[in-house]
Amino acid sequence: MIDSGPHSRRFARGWHCLGLERTFQDGKPHQIDAFGTSLVVFQSRDGQLNVLDAYCRHMGGNLAQGSIKGDAIACPFHDWRWGGDGSCAEIPYSRRVPRLARTRSWVTLQRNGHLYVWNDPQLRPPPEDVTIPELEGYGTDEWTEWSWNSLLIEGSNCREVIDNVVDMAHFYYVHLVKPTSFRNVFDKHIASQYMSALGRPDIELETNYGQEGLVMDSWATYYGPSFMVNGQTLASAGQSAEGLLINCHYPVTDNSFVLQWGAIVRKSPGMSDSAAQELADTFASSLGDAFLQDVEVWKGKARVDNPLLCDEDGPVYQLRRWYEQFYVDVEDVSPEMVARFEFEVDTVTAQDKWDKEIALNIASAQNLVT
């Protein structure tokens, strides 16, 4: 019997990417619905991006509908002004600010052109060793700027995204590539996937999907519960491209989340900036297409806490044990949740059966043509 597990309103502890820095650097407040509440993002005069609870502690006005005045965000209701540290900076019509006038200020991080916010139900600060790494090359002339997209997913939960880290077989059936090697490593707050794959020639015949001769080498690493960096090298028809893709999300409610993805690519010698940016857009579009394939599955599937597995399904239970560390209090994180774990899926049997299926599909397609 399927066990769907308990229905929890708790949101994962860790860094969550809210989007690109440049999105919030337009001199306006921005509302972000996340973690079962609403936040406001605004930039102060020193360039710092600040995140506060969106609803004013005075009478509940929505600060995201207010305006930025100096280094503060002004409520549209009574003009109470709140600094980036959460303190009430000014009440224009009052002789003094109440001593306890504060709102919640969220810890932020600006790195790699992204804005991150730290969520912790226990309201503890982020440990120094739990952070988002700086991406080597980003911001230099060798790499493009981010191509970026986002999508609200309703009726599903964040764990569905995480399960893909170990799900070798779905790459063949959903994303239409054939994995030739597949390995996972979990260690502390980091979970990684290493995969090599080939394009499926039978898909090329049926859909003109453009994967004939495609060779892909990929590493994908989650830094915490919601932010993944994916390095990919693609080769086809004598040409190759190297890109960094981002797959990240933040929860809106316990049953919805915002999925975000983007890409930058390394510029090849002699490649113009416009051509390189077009390639980055292509990378991001390809990743978006893959996500939309997943989304169609997520919309129709059930949440399963006790999946029935075969040998080639990968370490699903071990991944979920790793993921659980972000949903319990810090003092309840067990050694098993953060211990190093490595597993390599034996893809030999799957490749043999897939090759036979591909051959049959090609023969069938050729017979239809003739």
Side-chain angles (χ1 to χ4, degrees):
M1 300 292 291
I2 287 180
D3 178 4
S4 295
H7 197 66
S8 173
R9 282 296 304 264
R10 187 168 181 137
F11 301 104
R13 179 182 61 257
W15 289 108
H16 294 74
C17 179
L18 298 184
L20 297 182
E21 286 179 305
R22 64 177 186 248
T23 303
F24 308 107
Q25 294 172 331
D26 59 357
K28 301 176 183 178
H30 294 260
Q31 181 169 333
I32 298 288
D33 295 326
F35 311 114
T37 186
S38 291
L39 315 177
V40 60
V41 182
F42 71 98
Q43 185 178 34
S44 47
R45 286 178 295 192
D46 62 0
Q48 175 72 29
L49 291 176
N50 309 285
V51 179
L52 305 177
D53 278 3
Y55 298 114
C56 182
R57 292 300 194 263
H58 173 221
M59 293 286 284
N62 188 343
L63 300 180
Q65 297 173 358
S67 58
I68 301 172
K69 296 183 178 180
D71 285 327
I73 181 76
C75 179
F77 202 0
H78 299 92
D79 205 28
W80 283 42
R81 301 176 189 181
W82 302 91
D85 63 354
S87 63
C88 184
E90 183 182 0
I91 304 172
Y93 60 87
S94 176
R95 60 186 172 86
R96 68 179 182 88
V97 174
R99 183 173 56 88
L100 298 179
R102 291 191 61 84
T103 188
R104 181 177 178 183
S105 174
W106 295 66
V107 179
T108 61
L109 173 68
Q110 293 176 237
R111 181 166 292 172
N112 305 318
H114 301 124
L115 172 65
Y116 307 87
V117 68
W118 175 260
N119 179 64
D120 185 353
Q122 295 178 281
L123 301 181
R124 298 185 180 190
E128 291 186 5
D129 60 340
V130 177
T131 189
I132 302 296
E134 294 188 13
L135 299 180
E136 183 179 354
Y138 173 74
T140 69
D141 292 338
E142 293 185 14
W143 289 78
T144 66
E145 269 299 328
W146 290 108
S147 179
W148 199 255
N149 299 275
S150 65
L151 180 66
L152 174 63
I153 309 297
E154 297 183 284
S156 191
N157 62 90
C158 300
R159 194 181 68 183
E160 301 293 355
V161 188
I162 303 298
D163 277 349
N164 282 357
V165 173
V166 296
D167 192 350
M168 183 273 296
H170 98 286
F171 283 95
Y172 179 86
Y173 297 103
V174 179
H175 302 312
L176 309 178
V177 296
K178 184 182 72 170
T180 56
S181 66
F182 197 93
R183 183 168 67 94
N184 290 116
V185 179
F186 313 142
D187 192 9
K188 299 176 182 174
H189 68 288
I190 295 173
S192 298
Q193 171 201 99
Y194 302 91
M195 178 177 68
S196 295
L198 301 174
R200 288 178 53 181
D202 56 330
I203 301 302
E204 174 75 18
L205 286 174
E206 292 182 9
T207 66
N208 196 31
Y209 196 69
Q211 297 193 111
E212 181 71 32
L214 174 68
V215 178
M216 179 178 73
D217 287 304
S218 166
W219 61 265
T221 297
Y222 268 97
Y223 297 94
S226 69
F227 185 81
M228 188 191 83
V229 181
N230 179 200
Q232 286 190 7
T233 301
L234 305 178
S236 181
Q239 296 183 334
S240 64
E242 179 184 355
L244 280 178
L245 286 72
I246 299 298
N247 157 19
C248 60
H249 60 272
Y250 59 83
V252 178
T253 69
D254 56 336
N255 202 36
S256 64
F257 59 93
V258 170
L259 182 66
Q260 300 182 93
W261 64 94
I264 56 175
V265 299
R266 185 190 295 274
K267 300 175 186 177
S268 301
M271 178 180 285
S272 68
D273 289 346
S274 60
Q277 193 61 51
E278 183 178 349
L279 183 58
D281 293 343
T282 300
F283 261 86
S285 177
S286 175
L287 183 61
D289 290 343
F291 275 135
L292 292 177
Q293 292 164 342
D294 281 322
V295 168
E296 288 305 308
V297 175
W298 297 337
K299 285 180 179 178
K301 73 178 295 296
R303 177 185 170 97
V304 182
D305 266 20
N306 60 335
L308 176 64
L309 305 176
C310 65
D311 293 340
E312 288 77 13
D313 277 328
V316 175
Y317 283 99
Q318 290 86 348
L319 173 70
R320 291 183 176 182
R321 183 177 62 201
W322 168 85
Y323 188 52
E324 184 66 18
Q325 68 178 286
F326 307 113
Y327 287 88
V328 298
D329 290 346
V330 171
E331 54 270 24
D332 293 329
V333 174
S334 67
E336 292 79 12
M337 293 176 183
V338 295
R340 184 175 178 87
F341 174 84
E342 298 187 36
F343 187 88
E344 184 162 2
V345 176
D346 184 355
T347 63
V348 173
T349 299
Q351 287 186 70
D352 179 61
K353 293 188 175 183
W354 287 337
D355 285 342
K356 292 176 181 177
E357 179 183 12
I358 288 170
L360 288 173
N361 290 343
I362 291 175
S364 177
Q366 290 174 339
N367 288 336
L368 289 175
V369 172
T370 57

